[in-house]
Amino acid sequence: QVQLVESGGGLVQSGGSLRLSCAASAFALDYYAIGWFRQAPGKRREGVSCISSSDGSTYYADSVKGRFTISRDNAKNTVYLQMNSLKPEDTAVYYCAGGLVATLFPTEYDYWGQGTQVTVSS
């Protein structure tokens, strides 16, 4: 059974950093495009970043460009999201997801983790 598990969330002050991890079990993560999404209370889920399986191309939402970096470590079967210069508006539950196409649209992903809370205080 395919499982994705996020970790690394927490409470951080504005301007701080966090690194989220997305670990996979039962399948090789490098076979899939991996996306990071977030959902704040009362808002719809939005794409943050994604990385392709083929050539490692990366994509970012405009709101996080220059602050967030996605990367993958195939040896550890893990994808990371390094988040710097965090702002209160980054507060949300962050999810990773696996699919066949690297896109920021959540409907294109088949497998989802349970999410990890990120809270940025002002």
Side-chain angles (χ1 to χ4, degrees):
Q1 182 177 355
V2 173
Q3 276 193 315
L4 294 171
V5 179
E6 304 95 336
S7 62
L11 173 64
V12 64
Q13 288 188 333
S14 181
S17 298
L18 284 173
R19 188 177 78 159
L20 305 184
S21 299
C22 174
S25 62
F27 73 102
L29 208 58
D30 58 354
Y31 180 76
Y32 290 90
I34 299 297
W36 282 99
F37 297 83
R38 66 187 181 187
Q39 189 165 19
K43 295 188 177 181
R44 65 180 182 181
R45 192 167 297 189
E46 64 171 344
V48 174
S49 181
C50 59
I51 185 166
S52 72
S53 60
S54 55
D55 60 3
S57 296
T58 59
Y59 306 90
Y60 298 92
D62 288 343
S63 58
V64 306
K65 276 181 185 175
R67 300 188 298 124
F68 291 10
T69 303
I70 190 171
S71 63
R72 66 194 316 156
D73 185 335
N74 293 334
K76 295 183 177 180
N77 214 28
T78 301
V79 170
Y80 302 99
L81 184 69
Q82 178 66 44
M83 307 187 296
N84 299 329
S85 303
L86 283 162
K87 306 174 181 180
E89 51 263 45
D90 294 318
T91 295
V93 177
Y94 283 71
Y95 301 88
C96 67
L100 296 181
V101 179
T103 172
L104 296 181
F105 293 101
T107 54
E108 297 296 320
Y109 289 82
D110 301 310
Y111 306 106
W112 290 84
Q114 81 291 347
T116 185
Q117 176 70 46
V118 171
T119 303
V120 184
S121 63
S122 57

